[in-house]
Each structure stands twice: as C-alpha cells, then as structure tokens.
Amino acid sequence: MPKISYIEAVTSAIREEMARDENVFVLGEDVGKRGGVFRATNGLYEQFGEERVIDTPLAESAIAGVGIGAAMYGMRPIAEIQFADFIMPAVNQIISEAAKIRYRSNNDWQCPLTIRAPYGGGIHGALYHSQSIEAIFANVPGLKIVMPSTPYDVKGLLKSAIRSNDPVLFFEHKRAYRLIKGEVPDDEYTLPLGKADVKREGEDITVITYGMCVHFAMQAAENLAKEGYDAHILDLRTVYPLDKEAIVEAAKKTGKVLLITEDNKEGSIISEVAAIIAENCLFDLDAPIKRLAGPDVPAMPYAPTMEKYFMVNPDKVEAAMKELADF
Amino acid sequence: MSKLRHHQLGLTDDDVIAMYETMLLARMIDERMWLLNRAGKIPFVISCQGQEAAQVGAAMALDKDKDYVLPYYRDMGVVLHFGMTAKDLLLSGFAKAEDPNSGGRQMPGHFGQKKNRIVTGSSPVTTQVPHAVGFGLAAKMKRQDFIAFTTFGEGSSNQGDFHEGINFASVHDLPVIFMCENNKYAISVPLEKQLNCQHVSDRAAAYGIHGETVDGNDPLAVYEAVSKARKRAVNGEGPSLIETVSYRLTPHSSDDDDSTYRAKEEVEEAKKLDPIHTFEEYLHGAGLLSHEGKEEIRSKLRNIIDDATDYAEKAPYAEPETALKYVYGEE
C-alpha cells in the first residue's frame, strides 16, 4: 500500500468524491486558484473548474449558509473554513440551521453538508490559529463531528462525511497535515461515522483520545512497553455523537482510564467520555478516571515557552500513563 | 388596449380576482388565528396583516411550479399561493401531527413544505438569505431555470447574513430575488432607529445589483417589480433587491402590546391604506367586484377556514415519544 500524508488523504478523498458525484463541490476562501492556504484542495480547481471549486468572498456565515441552501436543494457541498478558529461567524448557520433542518421540518428537508476546518496547536499559531473548537458543537444533536488521526481514517471518513445525508463537521489537525503519513489503499473504501477504533491492543491501562493526541499516546505506549506497561488505545475518530459502546468496552478492559484532549479541560469532549464511563463502569474501575488536557486559559499563547506549556505532548502523555499504571 | 393596470401587466381578470382571493384568504386565516389565540385555543400567532399585497403580488410573479421560496414568518400570502392550504396552516396553528411545515414541532409562521418548494425556516432572522443564495447557486451549477425568492423584514437588513448573502449572489450573478417587506417596525423599534438611509433598497447599490422600492400596499406594483426581477434573474443578469413598503397592522405577535410604543392614531391612519380595501376598490372600479361578489367570496373563504379550523382542532397531536425522531437520517 502506498504511504501518503494526512493532507494528501484529504485532497484524495475530495477528488474521488467529486469525480464520483457531480453534485459534490467545494466552496471557501482561497480554495480555488490557490488550492487552499494549506493546499488541501490543491489541483481540484484545475481538474474540476471554477464552478465546482469556488473561491468565495471572505464571509464565513455565507460560506456555511450558501452551502446549507445548496445542500437543501440536493447538492453535496464541502465548505472549507480556513481555520477552525474562524468558524465563529458561521455558528448561527451551523447550530440554528444545518443541525436542525431535518428535525424542524419533520424529516421533510435535509442538509447533506460537510464543513472542513483545520484545528489544533503546536504550530506557533497563537490564540486564533490553534484552537480546538469541537466542544462548542458537541451538544448539538443533528450534527456529527469527525476528528481523524491517520491518513487512512481521514480518507475513509471524509468520503463517508460527504456521502452522509446529515451535516458533518470534519476537523483536521493542521500539524498532522504533513507530519503524519500512513498507508492508504488504492482501492475505494469508506469508514463508518460514529465508530471509534482501537489503535493499540493492551492490558494494563486504557487511553481514550482523538486527533494528534492519538500519535502522542502511541509513541508513549511504545516507550512504556519497554518498561513492561501495556497500553490499550482507543481513537474516538467521531467525537459527536460518541461511540458509547466502544468507550465502555475499552474502559472495562483494563479498569484504568486516561482521557486526553489538547482542548481546554473543562466541558471538553473527554468530560463527556468521563461521564459515560462513570455512569457505566464504576465497579470495573481500579483507579479514578484521569484527564490530561490543555489548561483552562482562553487559548494557547504565541511565545514558544507558553505554547509548549499549554500543549499536550508525548512526554506529558507518557508521564500521565505511567502514573495511572502505577496507581 | 385596455387602460386597466392589470391588463397592461399581462394579468387577466381571473388572475386579479385570484390575487384578491389569496390576499383575503391570508387575512381571514390570520384573523381566525388571533381569535383562537385569544380564546386560549392556540398559544401563538404572528401576523401577515398589512403585507398581503406585497406577498401575493410577489408570489404571483414567480413560477410556482419551478421556483423555490424562502419565506419569513409573516409570509402567509406567499405560501398560500405556492400551494399551502388553509387546513395546513390551521394544523400548524394547533401544532398537530399532520402539520406539513413541521409536524407540530415549530411555532406557526415557520413555513416549510418540500413538495411545494417552500424551504424550511427558523426563528433567528435572516438566516434564510444565504440559503436562498445556495439555491440560486444550485440553479446556476445545474443549468436549471428556476430562481430563489426570499423575504425578510427591514430589521433583518441590518444582519450580517443579509449583506453576506447579497454580496455572494451578486459576485456570482445568481438568480435570486431578495424582497424586503418593510413594515416600518422591528417589533417596537421604528424604521428611523434601524437604518439611516432613505430606503432599504439603497443598499443594493453597495453590492452592484438592481434595487427598487415599491408600494407594498399595491399588489400590482409589487407584481410588476418582481416579474422584472425574475426576468433578469433567469436571463443571467443576477439578483435584485426589492423593497415593499407597507405597515404592520397588528402587534408584532400575540405576545406583544404595540400600544406601549406607537400611537393608536398612527395605526388608524395606516388602516386607510389597508391593501385588502384598496385592492377591493381597484377591482370595483374595474367592474370586476361588486358588493355581492365580495360577500360571496368572503363567505366561501369563511367556509374553507371553518372546515380547516374544525379539522385541525380535532386532529391528533404527535405521539410524545416521536420527539426523538429525525435527529439524523436513516443511513
């Protein structure tokens, strides 16, 4: 199998879906001629033309709102928000509109819209080019939020998002774009939305996380294996709605659970994961649920010292895993 | 050639009688909703009264077998012309399971009916404007000759979605008609505290599109403006912003008391221009509507509304647990 980068998996999924279905199109800022500021839509403008790879005016609510209208008609728009941090002007369109169209019309209308946005820190992006924003949308029934960690998952899940008849927020870790490479089959495949994935089988402790932190945990697990600790790692992949069954199963497997996010800790995705485990696994636990996350400050600062302090990294993950294993 | 205005616009005598009937049906359903509300039978009403001419005049200028409409909460006249019935609207008033707008999930005035291409709407204002642009974009991409028609109040012309949507449509020359039903009030806040330009339609110039203000109490003037806008749209000449000026004859909603912010005399003065009466006078002058004819139409519509009320009141509510349905599609 060929090895491709995380961002190549994004481009390849979009290209294949656009070739497969003429209703699929891309809209966003700089997505056309420039091919995206991260180059996620590189080559699509040349291949599919300016009508299907639309450089929009700089106005996020319109990017989402026009996408919603086109989706209600029957198109399958892929809207790009240039940085997840800039999705805020579109929140009314996403939460009041996209999420509720099926429900409020009693299943008469639907909104098959995919909104892609790069998120995440560790790239010297400071407060407004680094944030994790999934928690804002993670109590909005009607939405699905996908945050893949590997090129294989990116491609299979993005294709499913585009084919989904419901709105999907697809958040891509921008640091993973070129850093993370992985095997992706040439043959057509999709992966199911709403399903977590075991990335490493283990017996001693369970780590549940998503996005870039999956790689930190995998790296830490390899180091700890040399010291005789065997970690089980569950990648949530879809962070809303959560795969409760997989979470409960993974927690019960070792009885010691570490939850990791690079978002601020309070009210985060892992807070809900902790609640699910507390509700379902109390008598299977051998240690208190442990959370590793960003501190509760507004967002990560620019200066490298403070950015590093804010960010979850493999060392912090390894220390937390070891501490839990030794409990 | 006839000197009658409607003939000059290409409308037959039957067309203008149908126009009048739809306007009057909207008015009479609205009045019925208020009675039901005051009798404690339905929790909420939001009115079309005073805007029927703008709504029906515009809707009749569209192609109701092709075009998509994205109405705002007062647009009973628009949805009636596009195929929604008195029964459908009363079912929505009573929040019954059979309500085609939402199955009783949304408040009245939140229209939506896919089979008639009435696009589902919400309560946060102006969100429908970018949606209309999305429909226009789809028309262009799929080489279809439909247009998207959306409406909103003058208060909404201050929202970001108004400006973002119109700009997008203009840049891409999309077949969209934006119609502002200026009824002079955004709940309690009068026009002069909402904008500091003379007309909402002045804002069209900023986006390089056609803008025009017409008398919203005159259905023929609105029909003419929207017909021309539709022609431009299907000819690839891009969107238009039409402003219809009328007056909100009722409080904002059944929960509002407009005597706290406007004088009774002002409302009484506006009633002299009530489009139902002024259009009746026009039809009378044209020899198309006698006093008896008017009473005949009223009695016919009253029967329709009585039957609809009766049906809707007796119709069942949705089963409670169906509240769990349709969060996501079956996949």
Side-chain angles (χ1 to χ4, degrees):
Chain A
M1 271 197 290
K3 262 193 161 180
I4 65 171
S5 69
Y6 188 101
I7 196 164
E8 283 167 338
V10 173
T11 316
S12 154
I14 299 173
R15 181 183 290 114
E16 287 180 21
E17 290 306 295
M18 287 184 77
R20 175 182 173 269
D21 179 354
E22 61 167 28
N23 291 322
V24 177
F25 73 98
V26 172
L27 75 166
E29 295 155 9
D30 306 296
V31 298
K33 259 194 166 166
R34 174 74 186 126
V37 295
F38 287 98
R39 323 288 292 134
T41 53
N42 192 24
L44 300 180
Y45 180 88
E46 290 73 12
Q47 187 175 347
F48 298 103
E50 64 176 356
E51 266 212 351
R52 289 181 69 195
V53 188
I54 303 171
D55 277 322
T56 65
L58 202 168
E60 285 80 8
S61 186
I63 294 171
V66 172
I68 289 167
M72 282 197 279
Y73 174 76
M75 308 297 285
R76 293 193 173 267
I78 307 170
E80 177 177 304
I81 300 292
Q82 197 161 80
F83 283 82
D85 314 65
F86 305 155
I87 208 167
M88 301 310 159
V91 168
N92 191 33
Q93 284 291 347
I94 296 168
I95 292 181
S96 301
E97 302 299 319
K100 295 176 175 64
I101 280 167
R102 183 186 299 284
Y103 190 80
R104 77 183 186 210
S105 68
N106 206 26
N107 210 29
D108 197 22
W109 291 91
Q110 63 180 20
C111 181
L113 168 69
T114 302
I115 299 180
R116 298 178 36 249
Y119 79 99
I123 51 99
H124 315 301
L127 277 78
Y128 301 105
H129 296 77
S130 300
Q131 291 172 85
S132 296
I133 51 138
E134 59 275 20
I136 293 170
F137 300 101
N139 71 342
V140 182
L143 294 180
K144 294 178 181 176
I145 309 173
V146 179
M147 302 181 77
S149 63
T150 67
Y152 177 80
D153 288 351
V154 164
K155 187 166 180 186
L157 290 167
L158 183 51
K159 283 171 150 259
S160 295
I162 295 165
R163 294 181 197 184
S164 168
N165 289 328
D166 293 304
V168 179
L169 302 179
F170 196 89
F171 295 140
E172 300 153 8
H173 201 292
K174 65 176 83 73
R175 192 169 164 224
Y177 271 156
R178 288 178 171 78
L179 183 68
I180 303 299
K181 294 186 170 61
E183 289 188 338
V184 171
D186 279 327
D187 293 340
E188 157 87 13
Y189 71 99
T190 59
L191 295 169
L193 304 180
K195 292 283 173 208
D197 183 48
V198 176
K199 287 287 193 282
R200 189 182 194 281
E201 292 280 356
E203 301 296 333
D204 299 329
I205 63 162
T206 296
V207 178
I208 303 178
T209 184
Y210 58 97
M212 200 60 204
C213 294
V214 171
H215 300 285
F216 300 159
M218 292 293 282
Q219 211 177 311
E222 291 317 306
N223 288 341
L224 289 171
K226 291 171 206 151
E227 299 176 37
Y229 302 102
D230 189 15
H232 186 80
I233 298 175
L234 183 72
D235 179 357
L236 292 170
R237 297 200 296 194
T238 296
V239 301
Y240 189 80
L242 285 164
D243 184 350
K244 292 188 180 123
E245 212 173 299
I247 290 167
V248 168
E249 192 187 354
K252 284 183 176 173
K253 183 157 190 211
T254 69
K256 289 182 174 180
V257 187
L258 172 66
L259 308 177
I260 313 173
T261 180
E262 68 168 83
D263 194 1
N264 311 92
K265 187 173 183 178
E266 285 179 6
S268 64
I269 296 294
I270 60 170
S271 304
E272 183 61 26
V273 176
I276 291 168
I277 295 169
E279 265 181 350
N280 294 282
C281 312
L282 181 62
F283 302 108
D284 301 287
L285 292 182
D286 299 318
I289 298 166
K290 190 174 176 64
R291 287 188 290 165
L292 176 64
D296 288 316
V297 300
M300 69 187 72
Y302 188 45
T305 47
M306 290 189 283
E307 182 190 55
K308 195 175 171 203
Y309 178 81
F310 183 103
M311 274 297 287
V312 170
N313 61 38
D315 291 342
K316 290 182 191 175
V317 173
E318 190 174 326
M321 285 167 73
K322 198 166 176 211
E323 194 185 312
L324 180 64
D326 289 338
F327 181 85
Chain B
M1 188 173 165
S2 165
K3 290 235 162 58
L4 288 170
R5 285 176 62 217
H6 68 273
H7 289 161
Q8 288 168 359
L9 294 172
L11 289 167
T12 65
D13 294 347
D14 286 347
D15 288 338
V16 282
I17 289 295
M19 188 181 262
Y20 169 69
E21 283 199 16
T22 307
M23 286 169 57
L24 186 60
L25 180 60
R27 172 67 57 92
M28 289 172 69
I29 293 171
D30 201 282
E31 288 170 347
R32 175 61 55 88
M33 297 272 209
W34 278 90
L35 280 175
L36 292 166
N37 174 262
R38 293 315 191 222
K41 291 194 171 185
I42 66 174
F44 184 74
V45 186
I46 194 137
S47 269
C48 63
Q49 293 189 37
Q51 294 169 230
E52 297 91 341
Q55 295 167 1
V56 179
M60 283 187 70
L62 304 175
D63 186 334
K64 72 171 181 163
D65 299 316
K66 271 186 196 164
D67 294 343
Y68 285 79
V69 292
L70 297 92
Y72 90 124
Y73 50 85
R74 299 198 189 281
D75 275 324
M76 200 184 282
V78 172
V79 300
L80 280 171
H81 181 74
F82 265 72
M84 206 174 280
T85 64
K87 189 167 102 175
D88 295 337
L89 290 162
L90 266 304
L91 282 162
S92 154
F94 280 98
K96 295 301 176 70
E98 218 186 310
D99 156 33
N101 297 279
S102 75
R105 290 174 174 209
Q106 294 220 75
M107 298 167 105
H110 293 61
F111 304 112
Q113 193 174 31
K114 195 170 187 187
K115 71 169 184 180
N116 287 320
R117 292 169 324 290
I118 299 165
V119 180
T120 175
S122 63
S123 308
V125 297
T126 338
T127 50
Q128 73 276 19
V129 169
H131 300 173
V133 179
F135 277 84
L137 181 65
K140 189 178 176 189
M141 292 178 78
K142 304 291 281 183
R143 312 273 185 270
Q144 298 292 308
D145 61 354
F146 70 82
I147 69 125
F149 169 80
T150 189
T151 56
F152 43 86
E154 78 286 353
S156 283
S157 75
N158 298 317
Q159 286 281 0
D161 274 348
F162 168 89
H163 298 275
E164 292 192 18
I166 293 181
N167 183 57
F168 192 115
S170 175
V171 167
H172 291 276
D173 282 327
L174 300 180
V176 186
I177 299 172
F178 304 97
M179 190 171 98
C180 176
E181 296 181 30
N182 178 354
N183 63 15
K184 313 243 178 85
Y185 283 92
I187 304 190
S188 68
V189 181
L191 190 58
E192 65 270 19
K193 286 187 180 167
Q194 289 288 342
L195 41 139
N196 195 26
C197 47
Q198 207 181 346
H199 303 293
V200 172
S201 66
D202 293 346
R203 294 178 163 181
Y207 302 108
I209 66 166
H210 178 91
E212 181 177 353
T213 297
V214 295
D215 179 1
N217 288 322
D218 179 355
L220 299 178
V222 178
Y223 175 85
E224 184 178 12
V226 175
S227 297
K228 287 179 178 165
R230 189 179 188 283
K231 224 166 258 161
R232 285 191 297 273
V234 291
N235 287 340
E237 294 168 50
S240 303
L241 173 61
I242 310 289
E243 175 189 15
T244 62
V245 182
S246 56
Y247 190 87
R248 198 188 74 210
L249 296 174
T250 61
H252 167 68
S253 75
S254 51
D255 296 332
D256 182 31
D257 175 5
D258 62 338
S259 70
T260 59
Y261 53 83
R262 64 182 184 182
K264 259 206 166 77
E265 296 73 38
E266 182 189 304
V267 182
E268 289 312 312
E269 197 56 31
K271 280 186 179 163
K272 291 181 187 160
L273 300 172
D274 182 337
I276 301 289
H277 301 311
T278 53
F279 198 46
E280 273 169 4
E281 279 166 23
Y282 171 82
L283 295 173
H284 184 73
L288 299 175
L289 188 67
S290 63
H291 180 70
E292 295 73 37
K294 202 170 84 180
E295 282 315 306
E296 220 169 276
I297 291 173
R298 280 188 176 267
S299 133
K300 178 177 82 179
L301 298 182
R302 200 171 298 117
N303 285 337
I304 290 172
I305 296 168
D306 285 346
D307 289 348
T309 307
D310 214 34
Y311 183 92
E313 193 170 5
K314 288 183 187 132
Y317 285 112
E319 292 298 324
E321 63 275 14
T322 61
L324 297 175
K325 288 175 82 173
Y326 310 135
V327 179
Y328 300 100
E330 308 284 328
E331 279 172 39

